[in-house]
Amino acid sequence: MNLITESDRTTTPIITSPHLGLVCITASDKVRYRTITRKRLLQLIPTEQIRVLRELYAENLRRLNSAIAFCAANNIKLYRIPSSLFPFSDDSIGEDVLTEFAENLREIGGRAQNLGMRIVIHPDQFVVLSSDKPEVIENSIKILNNHGRVLDLLGLPRSPWTVMEIHGGKSDRAERLINVIANLPETIRSRIALENDEYAYSASEIFDICRTANIPMVFDAHHHIIHEKVDSYDHPSVAEMLAKAQTTWPKPEWQLVHISNGKESFNDQQHSDLITVMPTAYKSAPWIEVEAKLKEQAIEKLRQEWL
């Protein structure tokens, strides 16, 4: 076992083959979460809002604990928690309620670390650090601060081991993106990584930004083949970008990548139910988030047929 840092209080499993990660929920009802709409919450009087959020957070904490148990039982060492785990916890009312569960959060985070499980998060599409609108950037930082607070409450390291993955956002804004990242609060800056996407930022563009900003790059092979309009995951550029992305991680064995397949065709943006085609180069990728609709079934299929 390789110690990350003394202060991280977690260990990195030795990588013998790629770890396949579960994204948020299962196809079955084993891992699911509750939520509430803003319209529904605001229809309630303030005392009822607190009561509803308190019950919702308690239930989602129980379900998060069950999700970790599910992953442990199925030897899944990588789990992406939902960005909507604690709705409205970035508002003052939700922030206060979440504080009530600090001890529970610390216990759950400690359990994940004791199991050698890596926890990551992918904030939603409203996070755009390269926006032309200052208010959008401000709101994006507010959302990321909240995610960072949740990860802190879970007792998870302020390092890319507990990575927060976001897209580059508005295209042709590399300089702005780099400047915003440089001034992020530590709870965000220490964990943030950028992922290439299908249209706005290519893998090579995100790599350059990550190198300049000194943050990790999450390589997504499917986004790459769509952006570059290539017809195979074994196109030389896939292995090339995978290798380049690895150099941005403080520890190569922490590198995290994504995989998905097109639903109707190879270059289809929509995700398929299962993963039937994998990049050969991904055999050397330490951590792989499996972005398929049938979730745990896709992981099991890859284990049987690819690994």
Side-chain angles (χ1 to χ4, degrees), residues 69 83 89 126 134 143 160 186 197 221 224 244 252 257 271-272 280 303:
S83 60
S89 57
F126 299 111
I143 293 170
E186 173 64 15
D197 63 75
H224 174 71
K244 283 186 173 181
V257 302
H271 292 175
S272 60
T280 301
R303 283 176 171 170

Side-chain angles (χ1 to χ4, degrees), residues 226-282:
I226 293 173
H227 189 282
E228 302 302 321
K229 299 179 175 62
V230 298
D231 58 4
S232 172
Y233 286 133
D234 288 336
H235 188 274
S237 64
V238 174
E240 177 187 357
M241 288 312 310
L242 177 70
K244 283 186 173 181
Q246 189 174 64
T247 67
T248 65
W249 290 83
K251 292 178 180 282
E253 64 268 27
W254 287 4
Q255 184 184 23
L256 179 68
V257 302
H258 291 178
I259 190 60
S260 57
N261 285 173
K263 182 178 180 181
E264 300 296 337
S265 64
F266 183 70
N267 294 90
D268 188 357
Q269 181 182 353
Q270 295 186 71
H271 292 175
S272 60
D273 290 342
L274 300 168
I275 304 296
T276 57
V277 186
M278 286 290 285
T280 301
Y282 267 27

Side-chain angles (χ1 to χ4, degrees), residues 25-224:
I25 62 173
T26 54
S28 70
D29 61 0
K30 295 288 186 181
V31 180
R32 294 295 171 97
Y33 296 94
R34 285 181 53 197
T35 190
I36 187 172
T37 65
R38 179 172 294 275
K39 179 179 179 180
R40 169 62 181 145
L41 186 70
L42 295 181
Q43 286 175 343
L44 305 173
I45 61 173
T47 54
E48 273 297 287
Q49 291 177 8
I50 293 172
R51 183 191 64 79
V52 167
L53 288 181
R54 186 177 288 131
E55 290 180 358
L56 192 154
Y57 291 2
E59 178 61 18
N60 279 355
L61 275 170
R62 186 189 68 78
R63 296 185 184 203
L64 175 59
N65 207 33
S66 296
I68 290 171
F70 175 89
C71 289
N74 289 275
N75 195 30
I76 296 172
K77 293 291 187 179
L78 172 62
Y79 180 52
R80 182 201 291 181
I81 62 174
S83 60
S84 58
L85 186 60
F86 302 112
F88 310 104
S89 57
D90 57 346
D91 290 342
S92 58
I93 181 173
E95 183 179 350
D96 292 341
V97 173
L98 189 62
T99 301
E100 299 174 15
F101 295 96
E103 184 175 348
N104 306 78
L105 282 156
R106 186 169 56 252
E107 289 175 357
I108 292 173
R111 181 185 181 203
Q113 291 185 86
N114 290 336
L115 290 167
M117 192 175 300
R118 186 177 186 182
I119 304 294
V120 300
I121 190 168
H122 196 319
D124 61 34
Q125 72 272 18
F126 299 111
V127 173
V128 184
L129 294 180
S130 56
S131 175
D132 292 332
K133 299 179 179 179
E135 62 270 24
V136 172
I137 295 176
E138 182 180 354
N139 187 61
S140 299
I141 294 173
K142 177 184 177 183
I143 293 170
L144 291 174
N145 253 329
N146 182 57
H147 291 323
R149 177 172 179 254
V150 170
L151 297 175
D152 282 347
L153 287 170
L154 286 165
L156 301 176
R158 287 189 175 185
S159 77
W161 174 256
T162 314
V163 73
M164 295 195 289
E165 319 154 32
I166 66 169
H167 291 288
K170 194 170 182 64
S171 62
D172 301 319
R173 304 293 190 277
E175 185 175 353
R176 176 178 300 142
L177 186 54
I178 291 166
N179 290 337
V180 170
I181 290 171
N183 292 290
L184 289 172
E186 173 64 15
T187 186
I188 305 172
R189 180 70 175 77
S190 59
R191 295 176 171 127
I192 200 167
L194 294 180
E195 175 192 352
N196 59 296
D197 63 75
E198 301 101 318
Y199 305 114
Y201 287 96
S202 69
S204 60
E205 288 172 320
I206 285 294
F207 171 74
D208 289 341
I209 292 169
C210 287
R211 286 298 297 268
T212 303
N214 193 28
I215 61 172
M217 171 183 172
V218 174
F219 177 61
D220 188 307
H222 195 64
H223 290 170
H224 174 71

